[in-house]
Amino acid sequence: MSTATPFDRSHTDGLMSFLAASPSPYHAVANAAARLEKAGFRQVMETETWDAAPGGKYVLRGGALIAWYVPENATPGTPFRIVGAHTDSPNLRVKPVPDTGAHGWRQVAVEIYGGALLNTWLDRDLGLSGRLTLRDRSTHLVNVDRAVLRVPQLAIHLDRQVNEGLKLNRQRHMTPVWGLGESREGDLLRFLAEESGLPAEEITGWDLMAHSVEAPSYLGRDRELLAGPRMDNLLSVHAGVAALTAVALGQAEPGTIPVLAAFDHEENGSQSDTGAEGPLLGSVLERSVFARGGSYEDRARAWAGTVCLSSDTGHAVHPNYPERHEPGHHPLPNGGPILKVNVNQRYSTDGSGRALFAAACERAGVPWQSFVSNNDVPCGTTIGPITAARHGITTVDIGVAILSMHSARELCGADDPWLLANCLTAFLDE
């Protein structure tokens, strides 16, 4: 199927800016919120009473964001259309006692977050980002977006067998260096306090992580590919924001309540107050129903008609490892979003979900592809099955096909982000 309109690279340009400005989940939701604000959305606080006023609203909690648009014609029993995504990516995160070192080197102690491809973090210029919490419990974003850390690999002269198979010890080999001399307690926090203009003695908590400082870029002879960090899964977050704001600013009122649910902690199981397995989404949807004067019966009716598209990246066929893929399913970059299927419910798609997704792509004039794992290769999972099981909501797993998933730098088709955003817009605006 061909697309109805020419590809629009301005969306991909915007994604590149979003990736570069969002080195941590906290930056990602702050940047998403800023884009929502420009479209007329307003933040509502969980600690305050919610009203029934129509329009765009959003909730921020840590590295998670739930945003929704209530049309003028919404009733308490109006169902929701949800785009689900996640804000976190595998990386190196700073330990509670960060200042360490050995043999004349100053280093920063890190813990491996999620299923990172460890070798992709070697010999790469790294910055530091995240949030700092002060004694008064206020939080402040910090982003040192220049080369301050590096995880140096052992030279081949000292490991002649390295090209026969690199083996990295997560504790001993992944500690980045950031200078010379003796390690001193408090060095890192004093440095970050100075960078942020905050008093070091007031910093009592932190959530910090390393990030590659190399900017996203087009790749290839014809610039048909996009290389960059954190596409898993900020690509979907960015597309979800674009889709939700397009519906909110559209000429016609949608017949459902469109929602973007961007969770944290997907890469380590989603079990947190900001993860998909936590109560955040259910609480927001329930409060939206009740704020419009709804009863438990209205809530049940709304849930019964609700559908979620869980949008996460999937695997494009790898030209150097085709045997790792299912022979009849070879998704390619720029072939449109993928429908992800696993009969053991690692993905939550069924035949009805396939029809719903196909209809959204057809309305948007967007091509699409199918993905299923090779039977000999374990299948990953997403927030999809968690959302379906926790809330009893019909859920369909989709995404964009990429290479180098969980690398410090991933690769996708340059047109696929725009195609995904169009699909999500058609889904939310049915």
Side-chain angles (χ1 to χ4, degrees):
M1 181 188 300
S2 61
T3 54
T5 55
F7 294 124
D8 182 358
R9 286 288 174 87
S10 66
H11 177 89
T12 304
D13 292 340
L15 170 62
M16 294 167 70
S17 298
F18 184 72
L19 292 172
S22 305
S24 77
Y26 315 109
H27 289 83
V29 296
N31 290 323
R35 294 171 187 232
L36 290 168
E37 291 274 355
K38 288 182 179 179
F41 284 68
R42 62 183 177 88
Q43 183 177 4
V44 295
M45 308 304 294
E46 293 185 82
T47 54
E48 297 177 358
T49 301
W50 292 5
D51 60 42
K57 307 172 187 183
Y58 68 91
V59 165
L60 286 180
R61 185 194 288 185
L65 174 147
I66 311 291
W68 66 104
Y69 176 77
V70 181
E72 292 278 357
N73 60 357
T75 69
T78 297
F80 300 90
R81 280 288 176 107
I82 304 168
V83 170
H86 66 89
T87 61
D88 60 318
S89 301
N91 59 14
L92 311 179
R93 303 214 172 182
V94 177
K95 288 183 175 179
V97 180
D99 299 295
T100 188
H103 308 289
W105 291 92
R106 286 191 293 160
Q107 296 175 274
V108 175
V110 296
E111 188 173 4
I112 311 302
Y113 178 82
L117 273 173
L118 297 183
N119 64 295
T120 68
W121 291 87
L122 302 178
D123 297 331
R124 189 179 293 275
D125 294 340
L126 304 174
L128 270 172
S129 58
R131 64 178 180 178
L132 301 172
T133 304
L134 302 188
R135 201 177 303 278
D136 62 4
R137 298 185 65 186
S138 63
T139 58
H140 302 263
L141 296 179
V142 58
N143 181 12
V144 184
D145 196 31
R146 65 178 189 274
V148 292
L149 301 176
R150 185 181 178 91
V151 183
Q153 188 172 188
L154 186 64
I156 192 171
H157 312 78
L158 305 178
D159 183 5
R160 294 291 184 178
Q161 303 304 312
V162 64
N163 288 327
E164 305 304 316
L166 175 64
K167 293 184 178 180
L168 295 170
N169 182 284
R170 296 160 72 91
Q171 177 64 30
R172 292 186 291 114
H173 298 154
M174 296 305 298
T175 306
V177 300
W178 75 311
L180 297 170
E182 294 298 318
S183 174
R184 296 184 299 272
E185 183 179 356
D187 266 359
L188 182 65
L189 287 186
R190 283 190 289 271
F191 167 72
L192 293 173
E194 183 177 341
E195 290 286 322
S196 307
L198 298 170
E201 65 276 9
E202 292 298 311
I203 300 174
T204 56
W206 56 88
D207 302 278
L208 300 167
M209 58 207 71
H211 68 271
S212 170
V213 298
E214 186 179 0
S217 63
Y218 288 106
L219 184 143
R221 186 195 68 177
D222 299 320
R223 293 164 54 88
E224 60 190 329
L225 300 171
L226 174 66
R230 300 176 294 279
M231 291 186 192
D232 179 12
N233 185 32
L234 294 188
L235 189 158
S236 294
V237 174
H238 178 262
V241 171
L244 182 59
T245 54
V247 173
L249 296 173
Q251 298 299 312
E253 290 282 88
T256 57
I257 296 175
V259 180
L260 170 64
F263 298 104
D264 200 355
H265 300 132
E266 189 274 345
E267 297 294 357
N268 61 7
S270 296
Q271 293 181 328
S272 72
D273 68 323
T274 53
E277 197 162 337
L280 182 58
L281 176 61
S283 173
V284 168
L285 298 186
E286 283 185 338
R287 291 185 67 177
S288 177
V289 170
F290 298 153
R292 296 194 303 278
S295 63
Y296 180 82
E297 181 69 16
D298 294 315
R299 174 228 184 261
R301 288 171 46 239
W303 257 238
T306 293
V307 181
C308 174
L309 284 191
S310 167
S311 181
D312 205 344
T313 55
H315 302 293
V317 61
H318 198 301
N320 298 339
Y321 301 90
E323 71 280 0
R324 299 298 182 97
H325 299 270
E326 206 288 318
H329 299 75
H330 282 180
L332 279 172
N334 294 332
I338 56 174
L339 179 72
K340 300 159 77 172
V341 178
N342 180 266
V343 295
N344 294 304
Q345 291 300 294
R346 300 291 286 172
Y347 303 131
S348 55
T349 305
D350 61 12
S352 296
R354 175 189 173 97
L356 185 146
F357 171 69
C361 289
E362 185 175 351
R363 286 194 302 275
V366 167
W368 61 278
Q369 310 173 82
S370 292
F371 171 83
V372 66
S373 290
N374 185 310
N375 284 325
D376 290 329
V377 178
C379 181
T381 191
T382 68
I383 64 167
I386 295 171
T387 303
R390 177 169 181 82
H391 304 292
I393 290 173
T394 299
T395 305
V396 187
D397 273 295
I398 69 162
V400 161
I402 71 170
L403 290 182
S404 306
M405 188 184 296
H406 287 198
S407 170
R409 196 168 175 86
E410 297 161 324
L411 184 71
C412 77
D415 296 320
D416 279 331
W418 181 75
L419 294 172
L420 175 65
N422 277 270
C423 165
L424 298 181
T425 301
F427 166 73
L428 293 178
D429 199 25
E430 183 178 8

